[in-house]
Amino acid sequence: MAENTTSDRNSPPPPIEVRDLTMAYDERVIIRDMNFVVPAGEIFIVMGGSGCGKSTLLRHLIGLMAPAQGWVFRDGVDFWALSGAEQDRMKRRSGILFQGGALWSAMTLAENIALPLREFTRYREKEIREICELKLSLVGLAGFGDYYPAAISGGMRKRASLARAMALDPEVLFFDEPSAGLDPVSARRLDELILALRESLGATVVVITHDLASIFAIGGMAIFLDSGSKSIAARGRPQELLDQGSNPALLDFLTRGERHTRLPAARADGSSKV
Amino acid sequence: MAVSPDGGPVLALAGEWQLGRPRPAVSQLAWPEEAQRLRLDCQALRQWDSSILLYLRPLWEECQRRGIAIDLDGLPPGLRRLLVLATAVAAPLERDDLTEDGFVGRVGESSRQVLVAVLRVCSFVGELCVAVLKLLVGRARMRLCDLITESAKAGYQALFIVSLIGYLIGLILAFIGAIPLKWFGAQIYTASLIGIGMLRLMAAVMVGVVMAGRTAASFAAELGTMQTNEEIDALRCMGVPPMEFLVLPRFLAMTLMMPLLCVYGDILSLAGGLTVGVFYLGFGTVEFWEQLVLTTRLEDLYVGVFTSWIFGMLLGICGCYQGMNCGRDSAAVGRATTAAVVSSIVCMVIATALITVLTVLWKI
Ligand SMILES: Nc1ncnc2c1ncn2[C@@H]1O[C@H](COP(=O)(O)OP(=O)(O)O)[C@@H](O)[C@H]1O
Ligand SMILES: [Mg+2]
């Protein structure tokens, strides 16, 4: 199974390919039989309501959770067939922005960024300091290296976390609900930052989100996870999905359930106005 | 309450409906036969709050049960909207009912959980052993600075409380011990009591209990919070094993510092005993000291230090295990902290019993 899996053997394998993946916590299945490919250098969106298994999917893609069934291929290689050391090496090629930032709270921002560099590269201390300063300024936090995560705002924490995710110049960047818990302006800035970084770094980006503004602003290929049917209910570009409008669950999601909020009221008092 | 002007029943709601005041019960209503539609009349309704909803919701359910349509047009619009919200049926949450009902099922389920917990602890200890071995061959991802900070936290920052408690326990033991010894005119043996009792056991237990509440709890809380904030996931997915990076320095710090703290506690508690010997029992310092040295063997000290070394390992394991296996919400951190202290103390008592029996059997 540790073979190139794309049909065309000349093109490089996709950074992520998921085949027949079923995710479950113990006996409880979250989503079954997922199949998708994340093409290199593109933005890929995973959308779905709260609790439908987006973060769980992320944990599978970055190798924190083993599939109940099926495979996760990274660069055409079956991730879970690799040895521990190879898995670790593979993991280091992706950068992750966790839902809550997940900065190490006992360390300053600079130390947060420096930790992977110290552990996994042979750069000299001066070089590491320069890299930290550079990454921080890329996310608009130049000069904040000596602050502790608790001392800065939520939006800054997310950005600092992004700087840490980029510390090892990863080939794939994962974002788990980047705009959650941010005010609209900070959220939009973060979206723009993601787009700008992708363009300039050429990295593959996987964005997990339930934020409609982000979904339409970022664009890109998307899959929609539906907890009702426990499957990928739709795939395509968000705008096209909205226009075609085939799947009711997806339409509810993309239109904020406009059709449905009025329904129980209408049923109750026999008229459609409330 | 039900009257009928034009065939169908009408329910009149009147007056003030407020929480804390008495409220009629739906079950007291007399339902007319063959009612199809219930109208509500709120002409005389003056003030209302959640109290009226507490009445209307069961009424709604009762109507549903009897197959009577309920006409809400008579309600004030705000109240109508609230009632619609309150009676909307939430989508059922999918629950996995793995537990079988009945005695056998419950026993089976809880034994399975116990088994899982035991296996978890075993694999945790196993992984920790691997991490220690890796450290010995110099390949563990542990930072020296972490070991130093953790040692400081588990070591000299605990000195004050260990001094206080050590001195006072020495003092108390000497006071209490002197009472029966006085009956036999053998007060001088207070020195032996302090020497043997403190060095061999009491100081180790005392330091252990203090450190369980102080440091094992803080390990569990720290690691548990890191688990909740996904900080441990962040380490893991960079290929930094949390066992080596987080657990190992804490475990080592405890293992190294506990024996030292125990020796320090020994000294302070001897000082406490000496205070009583000199100022209360009226012995000379030298006299008391000579008696102590004469009857206390070096082995007593060794046993105490060995015990506290074992305690250090146990506390490190209990604190870190609970932290690493913490759930992902803040209540779980609280539970982990409590569990860390309780399991530490239980483990220490069991270990003390074992060590005491073994040393007595082997005549150490
Ligand atoms: N550690 C866990 N154990 C069991 N169930 C979990 C665990 N973590 C999440 N779940 C369940 O899995 C489902 C998906 O969760 P998650 O992936 O976090 O959703 P989201 O799409 O909001 O990120 C939820 O219903 C949640 O209750
Ligand atoms: Mg999530």
Side-chain angles (χ1 to χ4, degrees):
Chain A
M1 265 301 157
E3 265 296 294
N4 192 328
T5 58
T6 40
S7 47
D8 181 2
R9 292 206 161 249
N10 295 326
S11 70
I16 299 172
E17 180 177 354
V18 163
R19 212 186 284 168
D20 299 332
L21 174 68
T22 295
M23 315 188 292
Y25 286 104
D26 295 328
E27 307 283 294
R28 179 167 162 216
V29 174
I30 308 292
I31 303 272
R32 46 171 78 83
D33 291 333
M34 282 192 281
N35 281 289
F36 62 86
V37 175
V38 179
E42 306 233 344
I43 292 198
F44 190 84
I45 299 179
V46 178
M47 52 190 184
S50 294
C52 71
K54 302 184 298 295
S55 298
T56 310
L57 176 59
L58 174 74
R59 295 169 67 78
H60 281 80
L61 297 184
I62 60 183
L64 284 180
M65 228 178 125
Q69 278 167 27
W71 297 271
V72 175
F73 296 94
R74 298 292 303 268
D75 293 330
V77 180
D78 179 3
F79 183 85
W80 292 98
L82 294 175
S83 71
E86 284 171 324
Q87 280 184 357
D88 283 350
R89 214 169 306 130
M90 191 67 99
K91 282 181 195 165
R92 253 165 258 146
R93 286 159 62 181
S94 34
I96 297 119
L97 175 63
F98 282 93
Q99 203 163 342
L103 290 168
W104 296 305
S105 45
M107 304 180 205
T108 63
L109 299 190
E111 285 167 346
N112 262 282
I113 300 170
L115 177 72
L117 295 167
R118 291 217 177 93
E119 292 292 318
F120 301 114
T121 65
R122 299 190 182 286
Y123 301 146
R124 277 165 287 117
E125 197 53 28
K126 179 164 164 291
E127 221 165 350
I128 289 182
R129 259 203 311 281
E130 284 169 1
I131 296 176
C132 290
E133 200 50 38
L134 171 71
K135 304 278 164 169
L136 277 175
S137 57
L138 277 182
V139 297
L141 285 176
F144 279 87
D146 293 332
Y147 283 72
Y148 279 91
I152 58 177
S153 74
M156 290 159 92
R157 234 174 279 159
K158 284 254 166 100
R159 279 184 279 150
S161 180
L162 175 54
R164 181 183 70 185
M166 296 190 307
L168 293 172
D169 291 327
E171 293 151 27
V172 190
L173 275 168
F174 294 89
F175 296 84
D176 192 358
E177 308 208 356
S179 49
L182 299 186
D183 62 88
V185 178
S186 313
R188 214 199 70 213
R189 267 212 228 108
L190 194 60
D191 288 344
E192 282 166 3
L193 184 60
I194 294 171
L195 287 172
L197 287 175
R198 187 198 71 91
E199 268 166 33
S200 33
L201 301 176
T204 310
V205 175
V206 177
V207 183
I208 286 173
T209 183
H210 60 203
D211 183 47
L212 289 174
S214 293
I215 290 174
F216 289 112
I218 295 173
M221 273 302 285
I223 56 172
F224 175 69
L225 304 186
D226 178 30
S227 52
S229 61
K230 298 196 172 185
S231 61
I232 299 182
R235 59 183 81 214
R237 289 180 192 279
Q239 195 57 52
E240 293 165 12
L241 285 175
L242 180 62
D243 296 342
Q244 292 160 4
S246 48
N247 185 305
L250 174 67
L251 272 188
D252 272 349
F253 179 80
L254 290 178
T255 60
R256 308 179 66 198
E258 294 283 324
R259 308 174 302 149
H260 274 262
T261 41
R262 296 207 171 122
L263 224 52
R267 220 182 273 137
D269 61 9
S271 68
S272 57
K273 61 176 198 312
V274 172
Chain B
M1 269 222 199
V3 269
S4 61
D6 56 339
V10 175
L11 182 62
L13 301 165
E16 300 197 351
W17 289 72
Q18 265 162 348
L19 288 176
R21 297 205 186 167
R23 185 171 60 232
V26 174
S27 53
Q28 286 166 358
L29 284 177
W31 294 87
E33 298 284 319
E34 292 165 17
Q36 305 255 306
R37 195 168 179 79
L38 175 69
R39 283 207 311 119
L40 295 174
D41 174 16
C42 298
Q43 303 274 322
L45 183 63
R46 270 182 293 142
Q47 276 193 321
W48 53 270
D49 59 11
S50 301
S51 168
I52 197 164
L53 281 175
L54 290 178
Y55 179 75
L56 285 176
R57 206 156 71 123
L59 181 71
W60 168 291
E61 282 160 7
E62 183 67 23
C63 286
Q64 297 268 310
R65 220 167 46 74
R66 291 172 177 265
I68 299 175
I70 186 164
D71 188 352
L72 301 180
D73 282 341
L75 291 179
L79 184 53
R80 195 185 334 155
R81 262 198 300 265
L82 284 177
L83 185 62
V84 167
L85 288 177
T87 49
V89 180
L93 202 61
E94 192 186 330
R95 301 187 67 96
D96 37 354
D97 282 324
L98 295 176
T99 46
E100 282 176 40
D101 278 337
F103 179 71
V104 178
R106 278 204 303 272
V107 170
E109 177 59 22
S110 26
S111 7
R112 194 187 66 91
Q113 280 172 2
V114 170
L115 196 70
V116 167
V118 169
L119 287 179
R120 273 220 191 122
V121 173
C122 290
S123 81
F124 183 84
V125 174
E127 276 178 54
L128 186 58
C129 291
V130 172
V132 171
L133 287 181
K134 267 185 157 176
L135 182 75
L136 291 181
V137 295
R139 294 195 35 206
R141 283 198 189 280
M142 186 188 79
R143 298 188 307 173
L144 193 61
C145 65
D146 283 337
L147 180 60
I148 293 171
T149 21
E150 292 305 331
S151 300
K153 279 199 262 176
Y156 92 94
Q157 288 181 12
L159 281 185
F160 174 74
I161 182 135
V162 170
S163 321
L164 183 75
I165 295 197
Y167 184 79
L168 288 182
I169 297 269
L171 205 81
I172 294 164
L173 191 66
F175 260 121
I176 300 293
I179 297 172
L181 290 175
K182 257 188 176 168
W183 298 340
F184 305 102
Q187 297 99 306
I188 188 63
Y189 285 104
T190 308
S192 318
L193 180 72
I194 293 295
I196 298 176
M198 274 297 169
L199 296 194
R200 201 176 168 101
L201 185 71
M202 287 294 287
V205 170
M206 173 200 83
V207 171
V209 171
V210 168
M211 295 304 276
R214 200 184 164 281
T215 312
S218 93
F219 286 173
E222 263 173 17
L223 296 181
T225 312
M226 292 185 78
Q227 186 77 264
T228 327
N229 291 344
E230 299 178 303
E231 291 175 41
I232 293 185
D233 285 339
L235 277 180
R236 239 185 225 130
C237 65
M238 272 181 187
V240 179
M243 190 55 84
E244 294 166 31
F245 194 78
L246 298 173
V247 176
L248 195 55
R250 288 175 170 78
F251 173 76
L252 288 182
M254 273 309 235
T255 316
L256 297 176
M257 288 302 124
M258 279 285 282
L260 297 183
L261 280 180
C262 177
V263 171
Y264 180 74
D266 284 342
I267 297 171
L268 265 291
S269 57
L270 292 186
L274 192 65
T275 313
V276 174
V278 173
F279 292 102
Y280 175 66
L281 300 173
F283 294 112
T285 313
V286 177
E287 193 184 355
F288 193 85
W289 183 251
E290 275 183 343
Q291 172 68 20
L292 196 149
V293 171
L294 201 69
T295 48
T296 311
R297 298 164 311 150
L298 217 47
E299 280 85 346
D300 293 325
L301 178 69
Y302 294 158
V303 170
V305 171
F306 173 77
T307 310
S308 73
W309 182 62
I310 298 284
F311 283 0
M313 289 199 235
L314 289 176
L315 293 189
I317 291 173
C318 289
C320 294
Y321 172 79
Q322 296 295 349
M324 295 295 286
N325 283 284
C326 177
R328 284 173 185 274
D329 54 310
S330 45
V333 177
R335 280 197 298 275
T337 314
T338 314
V341 176
V342 173
S343 60
S344 302
I345 291 183
V346 170
C347 289
M348 285 195 302
V349 171
I350 295 174
T352 313
L354 278 180
I355 293 172
T356 310
V357 170
L358 288 182
T359 47
V360 169
L361 285 184
W362 291 337
K363 303 202 169 56
I364 298 175

